[in-house]
Amino acid sequence: MRTSHSATLSALLLVLLAVLVPLSALSAWVDLEIDDTDRYVAAVSPLSSDPAVRDTVADLITDEVMTHLDLGPLQDSAEQFLHRGVLSFTTTDTFRTAWDSANRTAHTAMTRALDDEDGEAVTIDLAPVIEQVKQRLVDDGTPFADQIPVTHTELTVVSGDAADRLRSSFRWLRYASVWPAVGTAVLLVLVVGLATVRGGRAAGLFAAAVAGAGLMIGALVLRVLLAVARSRVLDAVPDGDRAGAAAVSDALTASLRTTVWWVLTAGAVLLVAGVAGRLLLRRGGRDGVAV
């Protein structure tokens, strides 16, 4: 009867941790990174040097600008020249500043899209970049540069449909804040502590091992959720924007992927320590040695 009761409690702890670990990580991520403008910008700022982002920005700006220019037989040459010019501009400090500014505005759009019900997409407006490119080409004396229109060219990060699907989940995560993480830590301490007090060291070590296994399962669940969410979000993004959107998505979720490895490591340590401790206790008991 006692063995059955212990197995039931162990299974319950595993299920709880499998749910609480991803919930804790995601809710803390929303509260500490997605809802914080400065941390959001800091996460995506290094992407100004990412080749996929630079190529996507150059392609989008070139395609948009050339739809508003008619240079006759020089159209193709001008397009190639403009693409090289934009790509070169993306290596400058001015671009990095414009990228940060555009993402600060994009964060406002993301917050609004996840709060409202209007199906608004999350985009990064590249108009400031076009303006800077135009000024640079004008200063260089490029013949057609003064004809370049400064239009709202957008890099789609999350489509309107994807934002609609994510909205309710984000609201719950925002409401939960960091409390699931606090609750998970308290649960682990209580389970191991009570098991030790009521059943001795052997019971405490067993509880630690079960808790470790639960943390590892929870970390794997979180990793699967991240992979599925990434795939669904990017599938809804236009093909031309996908490489850039993937880079932004990966940058924003980098802390979550790091969390997966930290939780896996902590779980493995608890599991190994619990199992090894139980083995030492049993060996000590057989040999008549106090451990």
Side-chain angles (χ1 to χ4, degrees):
M1 181 66 180
R2 184 175 179 178
T3 302
S4 175
H5 183 64
S6 177
T8 301
L9 289 178
S10 298
L12 178 61
L13 180 60
L14 289 174
V15 172
L16 280 174
L17 289 175
V19 174
L20 285 173
V21 167
L23 175 61
S24 299
L26 289 170
S27 60
W29 172 69
V30 169
D31 184 67
L32 299 176
E33 185 163 329
I34 298 302
D35 277 350
D36 188 288
T37 302
D38 290 336
R39 290 179 179 175
Y40 177 94
V41 173
V44 299
S45 182
L47 293 180
S48 60
S49 301
D50 186 284
V53 171
R54 292 176 55 219
D55 288 341
T56 300
V57 168
D59 291 344
L60 287 172
I61 290 179
T62 301
D63 291 344
E64 178 64 23
V65 168
M66 294 310 298
T67 61
H68 295 84
L69 291 179
D70 184 4
L71 303 175
L74 298 177
Q75 190 80 1
D76 291 342
S77 298
E79 182 175 356
Q80 295 174 10
F81 184 84
L82 178 60
H83 188 273
R84 288 196 299 269
V86 177
L87 197 57
S88 174
F89 176 75
T90 60
T91 64
T92 66
D93 290 336
T94 304
F95 171 70
R96 285 187 278 274
T97 300
W99 173 257
D100 288 349
S101 177
N103 276 286
R104 191 169 292 277
T105 303
H107 179 261
T108 302
M110 173 176 286
T111 303
R112 184 170 60 250
L114 295 174
D115 284 337
D116 297 340
E117 301 289 346
D118 57 1
E120 183 179 356
V122 179
T123 61
I124 299 174
D125 187 3
L126 300 176
V129 179
I130 297 178
E131 187 173 7
Q132 295 287 347
V133 171
K134 177 179 180 178
Q135 186 59 52
R136 179 174 179 177
L137 293 178
V138 169
D139 292 343
D140 290 343
T142 304
F144 64 89
D146 60 338
Q147 301 180 43
I148 295 176
V150 180
T151 58
H152 289 287
T153 305
E154 297 177 333
L155 167 60
T156 301
V157 178
V158 180
S159 70
D161 290 341
D164 286 339
R165 291 194 297 268
L166 293 171
R167 185 173 295 115
S168 60
S169 298
F170 267 83
R171 284 177 177 170
W172 279 107
L173 292 171
R174 183 178 287 122
Y175 179 78
S177 187
V178 298
W179 295 112
V182 174
T184 301
V186 171
L187 175 66
L188 289 173
V189 173
L190 285 177
V191 166
V192 176
L194 287 175
T196 303
V197 170
R198 298 186 62 181
R201 292 176 64 187
L205 289 168
F206 177 74
V210 173
L215 288 176
M216 295 178 71
I217 293 173
L220 293 175
V221 170
L222 174 60
R223 188 66 186 88
V224 171
L225 289 175
L226 290 176
V228 171
R230 182 184 189 276
S231 177
R232 290 186 176 180
V233 167
L234 293 181
D235 283 346
V237 171
D239 290 342
D241 297 4
R242 194 159 295 163
V248 172
S249 175
D250 291 342
L252 289 176
T253 56
S255 59
L256 286 174
R257 295 194 301 277
T258 300
T259 298
V260 168
W261 289 110
W262 277 110
V263 175
L264 273 174
T265 301
V269 169
L270 278 176
L271 178 60
V272 171
V275 171
R278 295 263 299 181
L279 291 174
L280 287 174
L281 282 178
R282 289 181 180 178
R283 179 177 299 178
R286 285 197 302 269
D287 296 342
V289 177
V291 178

